[in-house]
Amino acid sequence: MSRDVLLEVKNISLSFGGVKALRDISFDILEGEIRAIIGPNGAGKSSMLNVINGFYHPQEGEVWFDGRLRGPMPSHEVARLGIARTFQNIALFKGMSTLDNLMSGRLINMKCNMFWQGLWRGPAEREEMEHREKVEEIIDFLKIQSIRKTPVGRLPYGLQKRVELGRALAAESKLLLLDEPMAGMNLEEKEDMCRFILDVNDEFGTTIALIEHDMGVVMDISHRVVVLDYGKKLADGTPDEVRSDQRVIDAYLGVAHE
Amino acid sequence: MIYRESGDFKTSYHGDQQMFPIALDKWFVILVGSFAFLVVPFIINDYWEKSVLVPVLVWAMAALGLNILTGYCGQVSLGTGGFMAVGAYASYKLTTSFPELNLFIVVLLAGGVTALVGVVFGLPSLRIKGFYLAVATLAAQFFLVWLFNKVPWFYNYSGTGMITAPERFVFGVAVSGPNSPPWATYLFCLTIVVVFAIIAKNLTRGRFGRAWMAIRDMDIAAEIIGVPPLKTKLSAFAVSSFYIGVSGAMFFTIYLGAVEPTEAFGIDKSFLVLFMIIIGGLGSIFGSFVGAAFMVLMPVLFKNIMVGGLGWPTDLVAHLIFILIGGLIMFFLIVEPHGLAQLWRVTKEKLRLWPFPH
Ligand SMILES: Nc1ncnc2c1ncn2[C@@H]1O[C@H](COP(=O)(O)OP(=O)(O)OP(=O)(O)O)[C@@H](O)[C@H]1O
Ligand SMILES: [Mg+2]
């Protein structure tokens, strides 16, 4: 099966003052695949996602998305191109309910003007219903019906992570960036999260870039893996190729298994 | 079970999306609404108009406005007094330049003018946040009041530097000027405030409200889900200033009748409205009303009881009120940032379960 390239980063270099977070990184993400980004702490994984969704602007290099070179643009415009993400540290809207958090994920698709919004009639009501239905599908999919109206600040950690995934899903993006979606979860929660990620990929055909520390999970669910270490690309290939790469074993797996 | 949500099942999202999904809430609002519109106009007198109803309505309008900006969008402003002044002077210039213009339209246009001014002063909010933004809006407060003192065009070159609301009619009844009957001024304000409270409710529960709250709760995450920060903040400044401008226009044309900017629209008014939304409830439409009512009525009540009833000296009571407000502000900021509205909500939740708490 030959797939199109959805996203390609070319020769990305990013530094903060003296710290070189990324050095000359190139890789691509194919349409419909689950692409894992792994590496030890501080390797530059999160920075890479931040470059992809336009939050960091690299000093050098190019980002190609959907066949087009992406000029420098603010991250809210990148979101409109079809890139959604979750964060390593949960970044939900704490004062809002689960439902509102998910609905806010659909804001990029809502355009009813202020006049109708103020009256809550006609187009405003229609638009709200339309998006509500979409969001309810996601709520069912993630099995979070019972916390629909709960302010997310009151939810336990694992559920918050799930709601955050929901908010990213609500955008119906082409590319979903997940920064350690399973960090800090217990085994059961991890299994659930894996299931959701696989199902999203399967059922909705969403392309996923995933950062994860749990090697078992990574090897299980990803199609291809890119390994970063101190801002450099160490290896890139299928889970099997990466697993048997001597440099990866030395630099990363060795450390993790000590 | 007095107050119930159970058994009140929603069979569609449509039902769930009503303004008051709980039937009892809806009936309560309808009851209060009909009383306010159909009964109060017949029993209102000068005292109730001037010291209770009209000021509560005027300040509720301002509190709604500030709550949109601060409570929903998280942008602290201390420019409320200045923006009220813009509304007042805009309505003055409009109604003296176009005497035939219906006062409803004058007041709304004054809100529109204030919205534009608000957007200009909202521009720095892209770069500065929190405390620093508050200081920047403070600059707006002082600049605007200074401007209305300084430029005679604004007060039509009157010798005193004051502006006076001329008599204006709506449907043949005077609603401004000394001859306006209490029921007319009351109904005028009530209509505007109720209509715009409903609009505020609708705006805040829809896409604008969610974008505002997203910015408030976590601006970085908001940007990453596609909420443009500047546009969103400016829309909050615009809507908020519109409300505050309308409030200022009513404050001047209907309530005071004559104002001098330093006195009527000073920094103390900015704080007053801020206190209203803190005590009433940040991010709550209902709370804006509760806060306005509380801040207007509490001093009246205390004066009546302590000065009138117990015969305490006026200045002592005035200071006691200051202390009480200060204490309440601290209490709400620390213990219950969602204010009286939240306490009410919690009580309702308890009532809903009563007498079986589980
Ligand atoms: N905004 C920033 N300012 C300064 N330095 C930064 C910033 N963001 C990242 N860095 C630095 O860049 C390097 C890579 O950080 P990054 O967060 O991308 O690592 P990571 O691979 O995600 O690590 P972890 O597994 O701990 O999440 C680190 O040295 C970090 O200190
Ligand atoms: Mg990271």
Side-chain angles (χ1 to χ4, degrees), chain A residues 80 95 100 112 118 128 132, chain B residues 16-17 202 207 210 217 226:
Chain A
R80 278 165 206 275
D100 278 332
C112 179
E128 181 82 8
R132 175 74 189 267
Chain B
D16 196 39
Q17 270 158 276
N202 288 339
R207 85 177 176 97
R210 292 196 189 104
D217 284 352

Side-chain angles (χ1 to χ4, degrees), chain A residues 14 16-17 19-22 39-48 50 56 88 179-180 211 213 228 231:
Chain A
L14 171 77
F16 301 99
V19 182
K20 288 207 160 65
L22 296 170
N41 290 112
K45 305 179 296 294
S46 297
S47 303
M48 193 64 237
N50 283 333
Y56 288 167
Q88 189 167 349
D179 197 342
E180 304 198 16
I211 297 178
H213 278 295
L228 302 182

